[in-house]
Coordinates of all heavy atoms in Angstrom, one line a residue:
G1 N 73.7 25.9 26.1 CA 72.5 25.2 26.2 C 72.7 24.0 27.1 O 73.8 23.7 27.6
G2 N 71.7 23.2 27.4 CA 71.6 22.1 28.2 C 72.4 20.9 27.7 O 72.8 20.0 28.5
E3 N 72.7 20.9 26.4 CA 73.4 19.7 25.9 C 74.8 19.5 26.5 O 75.4 18.5 26.5 CB 73.5 19.8 24.4 CG 74.3 20.9 23.8 CD 73.7 22.3 23.7 OE1 72.5 22.4 24.1 OE2 74.3 23.2 23.3
H4 N 75.4 20.6 27.0 CA 76.8 20.5 27.6 C 76.8 20.0 29.0 O 77.8 19.6 29.5 CB 77.4 21.9 27.5 CG 77.6 22.3 26.1 ND1 78.3 21.7 25.1 CD2 77.0 23.4 25.4 CE1 78.3 22.4 24.0 NE2 77.5 23.4 24.1
W5 N 75.6 20.0 29.7 CA 75.6 19.6 31.1 C 75.6 18.1 31.2 O 76.2 17.6 32.2 CB 74.4 20.2 31.8 CG 74.5 21.7 32.0 CD1 74.0 22.6 31.1 CD2 75.1 22.4 33.0 NE1 74.3 23.9 31.6 CE2 75.0 23.7 32.8 CE3 75.8 21.9 34.2 CZ2 75.5 24.7 33.7 CZ3 76.3 22.9 35.0 CH2 76.2 24.3 34.8
G6 N 75.0 17.4 30.3 CA 74.9 15.9 30.5 C 76.3 15.3 30.6 O 76.5 14.3 31.3
S7 N 77.3 15.8 29.9 CA 78.6 15.3 29.9 C 79.3 15.5 31.2 O 80.3 14.8 31.6 CB 79.5 15.9 28.8 OG 79.6 17.3 29.0
R8 N 78.8 16.3 32.1 CA 79.3 16.6 33.4 C 78.7 15.8 34.5 O 79.2 15.8 35.6 CB 79.2 18.1 33.7 CG 79.9 19.0 32.7 CD 79.9 20.4 33.1 NE 80.6 21.2 32.1 CZ 80.3 22.4 31.7 NH1 79.2 22.9 32.1 NH2 81.0 23.0 30.8
N9 N 77.7 15.0 34.2 CA 77.0 14.2 35.2 C 77.9 13.2 35.8 O 77.9 13.0 37.0 CB 75.8 13.6 34.7 CG 74.6 14.6 34.5 OD1 74.5 15.6 35.2 ND2 73.8 14.4 33.5
Q10 N 78.8 12.6 35.0 CA 79.7 11.6 35.6 C 80.7 12.3 36.6 O 81.0 11.7 37.6 CB 80.5 10.9 34.5 CG 81.4 9.8 35.0 CD 82.0 9.0 33.9 OE1 81.9 9.3 32.7 NE2 82.8 8.0 34.2
Q11 N 81.2 13.4 36.2 CA 82.1 14.2 37.1 C 81.3 14.6 38.3 O 81.9 14.6 39.4 CB 82.7 15.4 36.4 CG 83.7 16.2 37.2 CD 84.9 15.4 37.5 OE1 85.5 14.7 36.6 NE2 85.4 15.4 38.7
A12 N 80.1 15.0 38.2 CA 79.3 15.4 39.4 C 79.1 14.3 40.3 O 79.2 14.4 41.5 CB 78.0 16.0 38.9
A13 N 78.8 13.1 39.8 CA 78.7 11.9 40.6 C 79.9 11.6 41.4 O 79.9 11.3 42.6 CB 78.2 10.7 39.8
Y14 N 81.1 11.7 40.7 CA 82.4 11.4 41.3 C 82.6 12.5 42.4 O 83.1 12.1 43.5 CB 83.5 11.5 40.2 CG 84.9 11.4 40.8 CD1 85.4 10.1 41.1 CD2 85.6 12.5 41.0 CE1 86.7 10.0 41.6 CE2 86.9 12.4 41.6 CZ 87.4 11.2 41.9 OH 88.7 11.1 42.4
N15 N 82.4 13.7 42.1 CA 82.6 14.8 43.1 C 81.7 14.6 44.3 O 82.1 14.8 45.4 CB 82.3 16.1 42.5 CG 83.3 16.6 41.4 OD1 84.4 16.0 41.4 ND2 83.0 17.6 40.7
N16 N 80.5 14.1 44.1 CA 79.5 13.9 45.2 C 80.1 12.8 46.1 O 80.1 13.1 47.4 CB 78.2 13.4 44.6 CG 77.1 13.5 45.6 OD1 76.8 14.5 46.2 ND2 76.5 12.3 45.8
V17 N 80.7 11.8 45.6 CA 81.3 10.7 46.5 C 82.5 11.3 47.2 O 82.7 11.0 48.4 CB 81.6 9.5 45.6 CG1 82.4 8.5 46.4 CG2 80.3 8.8 45.1
S18 N 83.3 12.0 46.4 CA 84.5 12.5 47.0 C 84.2 13.5 48.2 O 84.9 13.4 49.2 CB 85.4 13.3 46.0 OG 85.8 12.4 44.9
I19 N 83.3 14.3 48.0 CA 82.9 15.3 49.0 C 82.3 14.5 50.2 O 82.6 14.9 51.4 CB 81.9 16.3 48.5 CG1 82.6 17.2 47.4 CG2 81.3 17.2 49.6 CD1 81.7 18.1 46.6
R20 N 81.5 13.5 50.0 CA 81.0 12.7 51.1 C 82.1 12.1 51.9 O 82.1 12.1 53.1 CB 80.1 11.6 50.6 CG 79.5 10.7 51.7 CD 78.8 9.4 51.2 NE 77.7 9.7 50.3 CZ 76.5 9.8 50.7 NH1 76.2 9.7 52.0 NH2 75.5 10.1 49.8
L21 N 83.1 11.5 51.2 CA 84.2 10.9 51.9 C 85.0 11.9 52.7 O 85.5 11.6 53.8 CB 85.1 10.2 50.9 CG 84.5 8.9 50.2 CD1 85.4 8.4 49.2 CD2 84.2 7.9 51.3
L22 N 85.2 13.1 52.1 CA 85.9 14.1 52.9 C 85.2 14.6 54.1 O 85.7 14.8 55.2 CB 86.2 15.4 52.0 CG 87.3 15.2 51.0 CD1 87.3 16.4 50.0 CD2 88.7 15.2 51.7
A23 N 83.9 14.7 54.0 CA 83.0 15.1 55.1 C 83.1 14.0 56.2 O 83.3 14.4 57.4 CB 81.6 15.3 54.7
E24 N 83.1 12.8 55.8 CA 83.2 11.7 56.8 C 84.6 11.7 57.5 O 84.7 11.6 58.7 CB 83.0 10.3 56.2 CG 81.5 10.1 55.8 CD 81.3 8.8 55.0 OE1 82.2 8.1 54.8 OE2 80.1 8.6 54.6
K25 N 85.6 11.9 56.7 CA 87.0 11.9 57.2 C 87.2 13.0 58.3 O 87.8 12.8 59.3 CB 88.0 12.1 56.1 CG 89.4 12.2 56.5 CD 90.4 12.3 55.3 CE 91.8 12.4 55.8 NZ 92.7 12.5 54.6
Y26 N 86.6 14.2 58.0 CA 86.9 15.4 58.9 C 85.7 15.7 59.8 O 85.7 16.6 60.5 CB 87.2 16.6 58.0 CG 88.5 16.5 57.3 CD1 88.6 16.2 56.0 CD2 89.7 16.6 58.0 CE1 89.8 16.0 55.3 CE2 90.9 16.4 57.4 CZ 91.0 16.2 56.0 OH 92.2 16.0 55.4
G27 N 84.7 14.8 59.8 CA 83.6 14.9 60.8 C 82.6 16.0 60.4 O 81.9 16.6 61.3
F28 N 82.5 16.3 59.2 CA 81.5 17.3 58.8 C 80.2 16.7 58.3 O 80.2 15.5 58.0 CB 82.0 18.2 57.6 CG 83.1 19.1 57.9 CD1 84.4 18.8 57.5 CD2 82.9 20.2 58.7 CE1 85.5 19.6 57.8 CE2 84.0 21.0 59.1 CZ 85.3 20.7 58.6
T29 N 79.1 17.4 58.4 CA 77.8 17.0 57.9 C 77.8 17.1 56.4 O 78.1 18.1 55.9 CB 76.7 17.8 58.6 OG1 76.8 17.6 60.0 CG2 75.3 17.3 58.1
F30 N 77.3 16.0 55.8 CA 77.2 16.0 54.3 C 75.7 15.9 53.9 O 75.0 15.0 54.5 CB 78.0 14.8 53.7 CG 77.8 14.6 52.3 CD1 78.5 15.5 51.3 CD2 77.0 13.7 51.8 CE1 78.3 15.3 50.0 CE2 76.8 13.5 50.4 CZ 77.5 14.3 49.5
V31 N 75.3 16.7 53.1 CA 73.9 16.6 52.5 C 74.0 16.3 51.1 O 74.6 17.1 50.3 CB 73.1 18.0 52.7 CG1 71.7 17.8 52.2 CG2 73.1 18.4 54.2
D32 N 73.6 15.1 50.7 CA 73.6 14.6 49.3 C 72.5 15.3 48.5 O 71.3 15.0 48.7 CB 73.5 13.1 49.3 CG 73.6 12.5 47.9 OD1 73.8 13.3 46.9 OD2 73.5 11.3 47.8
L33 N 72.9 16.2 47.7 CA 71.9 16.9 46.8 C 71.9 16.3 45.4 O 70.9 16.4 44.7 CB 72.3 18.4 46.7 CG 72.3 19.2 48.0 CD1 72.7 20.6 47.7 CD2 70.9 19.1 48.7
F34 N 72.9 15.6 45.1 CA 73.0 15.0 43.7 C 72.1 13.9 43.5 O 71.2 13.9 42.6 CB 74.5 14.6 43.5 CG 74.6 13.9 42.1 CD1 74.7 14.7 41.0 CD2 74.7 12.6 41.9 CE1 74.9 14.2 39.7 CE2 74.9 12.0 40.7 CZ 74.9 12.8 39.6
T35 N 72.1 12.9 44.4 CA 71.3 11.6 44.3 C 69.8 11.9 44.2 O 69.2 11.4 43.3 CB 71.7 10.6 45.4 OG1 73.1 10.4 45.3 CG2 70.9 9.3 45.2
P36 N 69.3 12.7 45.1 CA 67.8 12.9 45.0 C 67.3 13.7 43.8 O 66.2 13.6 43.4 CB 67.5 13.7 46.3 CG 68.7 13.6 47.2 CD 69.8 13.3 46.3
L37 N 68.2 14.5 43.2 CA 67.9 15.3 42.0 C 68.2 14.6 40.7 O 67.8 15.1 39.7 CB 68.6 16.6 42.1 CG 68.3 17.5 43.3 CD1 69.1 18.8 43.2 CD2 66.9 17.8 43.5
Y38 N 68.8 13.5 40.8 CA 69.3 12.8 39.5 C 68.4 11.7 39.2 O 68.2 10.8 39.9 CB 70.8 12.3 39.8 CG 71.5 11.8 38.6 CD1 71.9 12.7 37.6 CD2 71.7 10.4 38.4 CE1 72.6 12.2 36.5 CE2 72.4 10.0 37.3 CZ 72.8 10.8 36.4 OH 73.5 10.4 35.2
D39 N 68.0 11.7 37.9 CA 67.1 10.6 37.4 C 68.0 9.6 36.7 O 68.4 9.8 35.6 CB 66.1 11.2 36.4 CG 65.1 10.2 35.9 OD1 65.3 9.0 36.1 OD2 64.1 10.6 35.3
V40 N 68.2 8.5 37.4 CA 69.2 7.5 36.8 C 68.6 6.9 35.5 O 69.4 6.4 34.7 CB 69.5 6.4 37.8 CG1 70.3 6.9 39.0 CG2 68.3 5.6 38.3
S41 N 67.3 6.9 35.3 CA 66.7 6.3 34.2 C 67.1 7.0 32.9 O 67.1 6.4 31.8 CB 65.2 6.1 34.3 OG 64.6 7.4 34.3
I42 N 67.3 8.3 33.0 CA 67.7 9.1 31.8 C 69.1 9.6 31.9 O 69.6 10.2 31.0 CB 66.7 10.2 31.5 CG1 66.7 11.2 32.7 CG2 65.4 9.7 31.2 CD1 66.0 12.5 32.4
G43 N 69.8 9.5 33.1 CA 71.1 10.0 33.2 C 71.2 11.5 33.3 O 72.3 12.1 32.9
E44 N 70.2 12.1 33.8 CA 70.2 13.6 33.9 C 69.5 14.0 35.1 O 68.7 13.2 35.8 CB 69.4 14.2 32.7 CG 69.9 13.9 31.3 CD 71.2 14.7 31.0 OE1 71.4 15.7 31.7 OE2 71.9 14.3 30.1
V45 N 69.7 15.3 35.5 CA 68.9 15.8 36.6 C 67.4 15.9 36.2 O 67.1 16.1 35.0 CB 69.4 17.3 36.9 CG1 68.5 18.0 37.9 CG2 70.8 17.2 37.4
Y46 N 66.5 15.6 37.1 CA 65.1 15.6 36.7 C 64.7 16.9 36.0 O 65.1 18.0 36.5 CB 64.2 15.4 38.0 CG 64.2 14.0 38.5 CD1 65.0 13.7 39.7 CD2 63.4 13.0 37.9 CE1 65.0 12.4 40.2 CE2 63.4 11.7 38.4 CZ 64.2 11.4 39.6 OH 64.2 10.1 40.1
A47 N 64.0 16.8 34.9 CA 63.7 17.9 34.1 C 63.0 19.0 34.8 O 63.3 20.2 34.6 CB 62.8 17.4 32.9
G48 N 62.1 18.7 35.7 CA 61.4 19.8 36.5 C 62.2 20.6 37.4 O 61.9 21.7 37.8
Y49 N 63.4 20.1 37.7 CA 64.3 20.8 38.6 C 65.3 21.7 38.0 O 66.0 22.4 38.7 CB 65.1 19.7 39.4 CG 64.3 18.9 40.4 CD1 64.7 17.6 40.7 CD2 63.2 19.4 41.0 CE1 64.0 16.8 41.6 CE2 62.4 18.6 41.9 CZ 62.9 17.3 42.2 OH 62.2 16.6 43.1
T50 N 65.4 21.7 36.7 CA 66.4 22.5 36.0 C 65.9 23.0 34.7 O 65.0 22.4 34.1 CB 67.7 21.6 35.8 OG1 68.7 22.4 35.1 CG2 67.4 20.4 35.0
V51 N 66.4 24.2 34.3 CA 66.0 24.8 33.0 C 66.9 24.3 31.9 O 66.5 24.3 30.7 CB 66.0 26.3 33.1 CG1 65.0 26.8 34.0 CG2 67.4 26.9 33.5
D52 N 68.2 23.9 32.3 CA 69.1 23.5 31.2 C 70.0 22.4 31.6 O 71.0 22.1 30.9 CB 70.0 24.8 30.9 CG 70.8 25.3 32.0 OD1 70.7 24.6 33.1 OD2 71.4 26.3 31.9
G53 N 69.7 21.6 32.6 CA 70.5 20.5 33.1 C 71.5 20.9 34.2 O 72.1 20.1 34.8
G54 N 71.6 22.2 34.4 CA 72.6 22.7 35.4 C 72.1 23.7 36.4 O 72.4 23.8 37.5
H55 N 71.2 24.6 35.9 CA 70.7 25.7 36.7 C 69.2 25.3 37.2 O 68.4 24.9 36.4 CB 70.6 27.0 35.9 CG 72.0 27.5 35.5 ND1 72.6 27.1 34.3 CD2 72.9 28.2 36.2 CE1 73.8 27.7 34.3 NE2 74.0 28.3 35.4
F56 N 69.0 25.5 38.5 CA 67.7 25.1 39.0 C 66.6 26.0 38.6 O 66.7 27.2 38.4 CB 67.8 25.2 40.6 CG 68.6 24.1 41.2 CD1 69.6 24.4 42.1 CD2 68.5 22.8 40.8 CE1 70.4 23.4 42.6 CE2 69.3 21.8 41.4 CZ 70.3 22.1 42.3
T57 N 65.4 25.4 38.6 CA 64.1 26.1 38.5 C 63.7 26.4 39.9 O 64.3 26.0 40.9 CB 63.0 25.3 37.8 OG1 62.8 24.1 38.6 CG2 63.4 24.8 36.4
D58 N 62.5 27.1 40.0 CA 62.0 27.3 41.4 C 61.7 26.0 42.1 O 61.9 25.8 43.3 CB 60.7 28.2 41.3 CG 60.9 29.6 40.9 OD1 62.1 30.1 41.1 OD2 60.0 30.3 40.6
V59 N 61.2 25.0 41.3 CA 60.9 23.7 41.8 C 62.2 23.0 42.3 O 62.3 22.4 43.4 CB 60.2 22.8 40.8 CG1 60.0 21.4 41.3 CG2 58.9 23.4 40.4
G60 N 63.3 23.2 41.6 CA 64.6 22.7 41.9 C 65.1 23.3 43.2 O 65.6 22.6 44.1
Y61 N 65.0 24.6 43.3 CA 65.4 25.3 44.6 C 64.5 24.8 45.8 O 65.0 24.7 46.9 CB 65.4 26.8 44.4 CG 66.6 27.3 43.7 CD1 66.5 27.9 42.5 CD2 67.9 27.2 44.3 CE1 67.6 28.4 41.8 CE2 69.0 27.7 43.6 CZ 68.8 28.3 42.4 OH 69.9 28.8 41.7
T62 N 63.3 24.6 45.5 CA 62.4 24.1 46.6 C 62.8 22.7 47.1 O 62.9 22.4 48.3 CB 60.9 24.1 46.1 OG1 60.5 25.4 45.8 CG2 60.0 23.6 47.2
A63 N 63.2 21.9 46.1 CA 63.6 20.5 46.4 C 64.9 20.6 47.2 O 65.1 19.9 48.2 CB 63.8 19.7 45.2
V64 N 65.9 21.4 46.8 CA 67.1 21.5 47.5 C 66.9 22.1 48.9 O 67.5 21.6 49.9 CB 68.1 22.4 46.7 CG1 69.3 22.8 47.6 CG2 68.6 21.7 45.5
T65 N 66.1 23.1 49.1 CA 65.7 23.6 50.4 C 65.1 22.6 51.3 O 65.5 22.5 52.5 CB 64.8 24.8 50.2 OG1 65.4 25.8 49.4 CG2 64.4 25.4 51.5
A66 N 64.3 21.7 50.7 CA 63.6 20.7 51.5 C 64.6 19.7 52.0 O 64.5 19.1 53.1 CB 62.5 20.0 50.7
L67 N 65.7 19.5 51.3 CA 66.8 18.6 51.7 C 67.7 19.2 52.8 O 68.1 18.5 53.7 CB 67.6 18.1 50.5 CG 66.9 17.3 49.5 CD1 67.7 17.2 48.2 CD2 66.7 15.9 50.0
I68 N 68.0 20.4 52.6 CA 68.9 21.1 53.5 C 68.3 21.5 54.8 O 68.9 21.4 55.9 CB 69.6 22.3 52.8 CG1 70.4 21.9 51.6 CG2 70.4 23.1 53.8 CD1 70.9 23.0 50.8
T69 N 67.1 22.0 54.8 CA 66.4 22.6 56.0 C 66.4 21.7 57.2 O 66.8 22.1 58.3 CB 65.0 23.1 55.6 OG1 65.2 24.2 54.6 CG2 64.3 23.7 56.8
P70 N 65.9 20.4 57.0 CA 65.9 19.6 58.2 C 67.3 19.3 58.8 O 67.4 19.2 60.0 CB 65.3 18.2 57.7 CG 64.8 18.5 56.4 CD 65.4 19.8 55.9
V71 N 68.3 19.3 58.0 CA 69.7 19.1 58.5 C 70.1 20.3 59.3 O 70.7 20.2 60.4 CB 70.6 18.8 57.3 CG1 72.1 18.6 57.8 CG2 70.2 17.5 56.6
L72 N 69.9 21.5 58.7 CA 70.2 22.7 59.4 C 69.5 22.8 60.8 O 70.1 23.2 61.8 CB 70.0 23.9 58.6 CG 70.9 24.1 57.4 CD1 70.4 25.3 56.5 CD2 72.3 24.3 57.8
E73 N 68.2 22.5 60.7 CA 67.4 22.6 62.0 C 67.9 21.6 63.0 O 68.0 22.0 64.2 CB 65.9 22.3 61.6 CG 65.3 23.4 60.9 CD 63.8 23.1 60.5 OE1 63.4 21.9 60.5 OE2 63.2 24.1 60.1
Q74 N 68.3 20.4 62.6 CA 68.9 19.5 63.5 C 70.2 20.0 64.1 O 70.4 19.9 65.3 CB 69.1 18.1 62.9 CG 69.6 17.1 63.8 CD 69.9 15.7 63.1 OE1 69.9 15.6 61.9 NE2 70.0 14.7 63.9
L75 N 71.1 20.5 63.2 CA 72.4 21.0 63.7 C 72.2 22.2 64.6 O 73.0 22.4 65.5 CB 73.2 21.4 62.5 CG 73.7 20.2 61.6 CD1 74.4 20.7 60.4 CD2 74.7 19.3 62.4
L76 N 71.2 23.0 64.4 CA 71.0 24.2 65.2 C 70.1 23.9 66.4 O 69.9 24.8 67.2 CB 70.4 25.3 64.3 CG 71.2 25.8 63.2 CD1 70.4 26.7 62.3 CD2 72.5 26.5 63.7
G77 N 69.6 22.7 66.5 CA 68.9 22.3 67.7 C 67.5 22.9 67.7 O 66.9 23.2 68.7
K78 N 66.9 23.0 66.5 CA 65.5 23.6 66.4 C 64.5 22.5 66.2 O 64.7 21.5 65.7 CB 65.5 24.6 65.2 CG 66.3 25.8 65.4 CD 66.1 26.8 64.4 CE 66.9 28.1 64.8 NZ 66.3 29.3 64.5

């Protein structure tokens, strides 16, 4: 159930920063998916984006796609 995902949010936040730093170090593009999907007021991923705190709903996948698509288009010169 979703009750087990909340305890992983701190690790997810740490991983997000670590991946960003690695991307900067090696010159890779980093797309932050954690911050826009995370509701700091409740310490969880926004309810509409997930069914259980970890797996995306259709709305969650739409949000992630909206974050990634412009970056890919820019990288591909579209």
